[in-house]
Amino acid sequence: MGEHIIQPDSKSTAAGSVSAVNALQSPVEREDRLPEQPVQWLGLMVAAAGVGAAAGLVGTAFRWILLWAYKGRLEILHYLHGHVSPIWGWIIPMVVCSAAGALALWLTQRFAPHTAGSGIPRVESVLRAHLRPAAGLILPIKFIGGVLAIGSGMALGREGPTVQMGGTIGKVVGDTLRKMVPEPWTLIAAGAGAGLSVAFNAPLAAALFVMEELLHRFSTRVFSATLIACISSTLVFRAFFGNVTEFRVIPIGFVSAAMLPEYLLLGIAAGFLGVTFNVGLLQTLKWFDRARTWPRGSKGALAGLAVGLTAWFAPRAVGGGEELARLAIDQQFLWQIALGLILTRLLLTMASYGCGAPGGIFAPLLALGALLGNVFAIGASHIGHGAIAPSPYAIVAMAALFTAVVRSPLTGVVLLLEMTGAWALILPMMAASLTAFIVPELMGNPPIYDSLRRRDEALERSG
């Protein structure tokens, strides 16, 4: 029995070819391309610039208030040490910090539970279409809650709130201009990048972070919009704070190839510290999850007590950690002090983030990295180098620890280059970040934001 072969006509063949081409082009690929119409492209860029400017204004105000709170906290503690009996003076910062932590967490739990923690994992879930964008109420609650939590001294970073607030601004603008910008999620990503840019005065690292961490892929459309938004937000920030890097570092010379093994070893140490950080943070969240029946704000009050007690004995050891990182970069500590600060900062960060207070982990990571580099410099000075400046080791360790925890090495390297201007350290940064990346991967430890994102999605599905 012979086979019957049906020969398609030319029309059906052409239609099939078109269908095949369309089938090969996924929605993501179609969205990645820039708009074909110049007017639509221009509208997207103008909208992104507006989102960036708005995120820049909000982020700058947020940073200014936190700076004011930091200075005020130091002045109050200095006054208490000079005018109040130490027998009971330590009670005052504990009460104040506990009250601020309780109020921050009460606002979060009562009005906008989505503002708890960093906010970056939730933005990532929204961009992946795993969760729906939350309401605009996030903006005021995240702002006020972040000021209360970080301003009172909790070991949290300002970047989490600014990223989530920037993403919220992008959503609001995208919803308003839906006819002009048919993909509003593009502006959510752009706003998130703008928020990170204004947090650290690092526009390029912020744009890379959106691609490397939030999207896990390169999108021409999103990158263009994010870059415009980051430039816009940074211009707003620098109009108020000036054209200076976050850390003013004494010029550093290029590192010789003979010293690269030391930085590889530093990266290994950062890798182990990063695994410790990730495991500890997730375990602390589990512990606090068991206290869901506690009254609103009570977990924040408990964390605030620990922060207030620490602030009484070591005022610069609390808060986001930027000033502590500067000290670790500029001067060599005693190894006992450096190790004690690492342990203290680890515990404070676990308690501050674990309780659910609004705030990020970038700044605490940078402080821990700088302290680790300081300890490494102390060790290097005792094995034949003599007295050496800790700044190269501290800066490289900051990038390496960021990589170990977040698993975004390109962002980590560029972030520290923009924050310090230490371009001569690019090679040791890359080497240390490589080993810091490998260690947790070999140990099977997932990136922290992947773990936090899955946790947020599970909680929302169950709640």
Side-chain angles (χ1 to χ4, degrees):
M1 186 176 291
E3 293 181 7
H4 299 279
I5 301 175
I6 300 176
Q7 298 289 341
D9 58 48
S10 58
K11 290 184 178 180
S12 63
T13 302
S17 300
V18 172
S19 299
V21 171
N22 289 336
L24 291 174
Q25 292 181 342
S26 67
V28 169
E29 290 172 331
R30 291 195 294 271
E31 290 171 351
D32 281 350
R33 294 198 305 266
L34 290 172
E36 296 178 358
Q37 298 180 1
V39 174
Q40 190 181 30
W41 182 88
L42 181 61
L44 175 62
M45 294 301 105
V46 171
V51 168
L57 286 172
V58 173
T60 298
F62 190 71
R63 286 195 58 170
W64 185 87
I65 294 174
L66 289 181
L67 180 61
W68 174 83
Y70 168 76
K71 293 179 179 178
R73 189 172 67 243
L74 289 183
E75 290 177 0
I76 292 172
L77 288 168
H78 179 73
Y79 177 85
L80 291 176
H81 278 285
H83 297 82
V84 179
S85 171
I87 297 177
W88 59 275
W90 56 274
I91 298 176
I92 298 176
M94 289 183 66
V95 171
V96 173
C97 292
S98 180
L103 182 56
L105 198 57
W106 181 85
L107 286 172
T108 296
Q109 295 174 328
R110 173 64 178 83
F111 296 104
H114 299 144
T115 61
S118 168
I120 291 177
R122 180 169 186 86
V123 173
E124 187 174 345
S125 293
V126 169
L127 292 177
R128 295 185 179 194
H130 293 177
L131 294 178
R132 292 182 178 180
L137 188 61
I138 278 182
L139 191 57
I141 299 301
K142 194 77 173 188
F143 192 103
I144 299 171
V147 166
L148 288 169
I150 305 171
S152 65
M154 285 192 174
L156 298 168
R158 58 180 177 256
E159 79 293 330
T162 57
V163 167
Q164 192 171 19
M165 289 188 293
T168 303
I169 292 171
K171 176 187 180 299
V172 172
V173 174
D175 289 344
T176 305
L177 304 177
R178 186 171 293 276
K179 292 183 179 179
M180 184 185 303
V181 185
E183 299 85 15
W185 64 271
T186 302
L187 293 183
I188 295 177
L196 182 58
S197 177
V198 77
F200 292 124
N201 192 16
L204 181 56
L208 291 174
F209 180 76
V210 171
M211 300 295 107
E212 192 175 23
E213 175 57 36
L214 297 186
L215 293 185
H216 285 277
R217 62 183 175 83
F218 184 83
S219 164
T220 304
R221 173 173 294 181
V222 176
F223 184 74
S224 301
T226 302
L227 201 58
I228 291 290
C230 290
I231 293 171
S232 180
S233 68
T234 304
L235 289 174
V236 172
F237 169 78
R238 293 182 182 178
F240 290 92
F241 282 88
N243 296 316
V244 294
T245 56
E246 288 295 309
F247 299 110
R248 298 183 182 182
V249 180
I250 297 174
I252 299 172
F254 285 95
V255 175
S256 66
M259 293 187 66
L260 283 182
E262 291 185 9
Y263 287 99
L264 291 173
L265 183 60
L266 176 57
I268 293 174
F272 282 108
L273 181 57
V275 172
T276 301
F277 183 93
N278 288 354
V279 172
L281 191 66
L282 294 175
Q283 187 60 50
T284 305
L285 286 167
K286 290 180 181 178
W287 290 338
F288 275 105
D289 282 344
R290 297 171 186 169
R292 289 183 181 178
T293 57
W294 289 14
R296 286 176 178 158
S298 55
K299 291 184 286 186
L302 184 62
L305 288 175
V307 169
L309 182 61
T310 305
W312 173 257
F313 293 102
R316 297 182 187 276
V318 300
E322 296 87 351
E323 185 62 27
L324 188 60
R326 291 188 181 94
L327 292 174
I329 291 172
D330 294 337
Q331 63 188 50
Q332 195 172 90
F333 296 155
L334 295 173
W335 68 267
Q336 299 94 328
I337 293 177
L339 288 177
L341 286 172
I342 288 176
L343 179 59
T344 300
R345 290 291 305 182
L346 268 175
L347 295 175
L348 283 181
T349 304
M350 302 299 113
S352 300
Y353 194 94
C355 74
I361 59 173
F362 272 29
L365 279 180
L366 297 181
L368 284 171
L371 290 168
L372 174 65
N374 200 286
V375 172
F376 199 87
I378 296 170
S381 67
H382 284 83
I383 60 173
H385 287 314
I388 58 175
S391 53
Y393 295 103
I395 293 170
V396 170
M398 292 162 81
L401 183 59
F402 177 90
T403 298
V405 173
V406 181
R407 231 62 54 84
S408 297
L410 183 59
T411 300
V413 170
V414 175
L415 178 67
L416 267 298
L417 290 175
E418 287 190 282
M419 292 181 72
T420 63
W423 293 90
L425 294 177
I426 186 170
L427 193 58
M429 272 192 203
M430 293 171 64
S433 295
L434 173 64
T435 51
F437 185 96
I438 292 173
V439 169
E441 287 292 313
L442 291 178
M443 296 178 67
N445 180 256
I448 189 61
Y449 285 131
D450 284 358
S451 300
L452 294 175
R453 174 177 54 80
R454 287 192 291 266
R455 176 180 179 273
D456 288 350
E457 292 172 2
L459 287 175
E460 185 144 334
R461 284 193 296 267
S462 63

